[in-house]
Amino acid sequence: MPRKIEARQSDIHGNGVFAIAPIEKGERVVEYKGKRRTHDEVDADDTGDADSGHTFLFTLNDDYVIDANHKGNKARWINHSCDPNCEAVIEEHDGKNRKKDKVFIEAIRAIKPGEELTYNYGIVLAEPHTARLKKIWACRCGSKKCTGTMLQPKKGR
């Protein structure tokens, strides 16, 4: 499979992931890899600190989180956007072992070489989304559709 992406400096934030070859709509671009940890394990250390405004954590399911701080790949550098060109898709394992579920980043439209890959992180914190937290989790995507924060509205509240 030809290499279609590379990580490098981003205008959005820090590092980013960019297309180096055309990517078709619906194409699976990369798997989000990292160590599988329970929610309790993540909550017990500082990699899940909501006050940091930075995370390599991806909620996999009710039992596990993918922690790309450990054994992560270049997918961890894909930045958030309010008008993304990709989406995260969770693929459940056929068996009962939820630790074997996977996350893939897929293109939701055609992506040209040189374009930065982005997806909506869909972050919803357990605590109230205060102005302070919205500032900590500020969005820098620059899109006309930018909401100013990576935090998503809490549904049903």
Side-chain angles (χ1 to χ4, degrees), residues 53-130:
H54 179 75
T55 185
F56 289 136
L57 301 175
F58 198 108
T59 299
L60 184 59
N61 51 46
D62 289 342
D63 299 321
Y64 294 99
V65 172
I66 297 173
D67 186 347
N69 290 293
H70 307 278
K71 302 179 185 177
N73 63 348
K74 65 180 83 177
R76 68 182 169 175
W77 300 116
I78 299 175
N79 281 309
H80 166 88
S81 176
C82 299
D83 189 18
N85 53 19
C86 294
E87 67 182 350
V89 177
I90 296 175
E91 183 179 276
E92 291 184 2
H93 184 261
D94 287 339
K96 293 182 181 181
N97 187 350
R98 298 285 51 99
K99 200 172 193 177
K100 292 185 177 182
D101 291 354
K102 296 180 179 183
V103 174
F104 292 95
I105 307 302
E106 292 183 0
I108 57 175
R109 64 168 176 75
I111 302 171
K112 298 175 184 169
E115 206 175 333
E116 184 168 0
L117 277 61
T118 59
Y119 66 93
N120 185 322
Y121 287 3
I123 298 171
V124 178
L125 301 176
E127 60 262 44
H129 292 180
T130 62

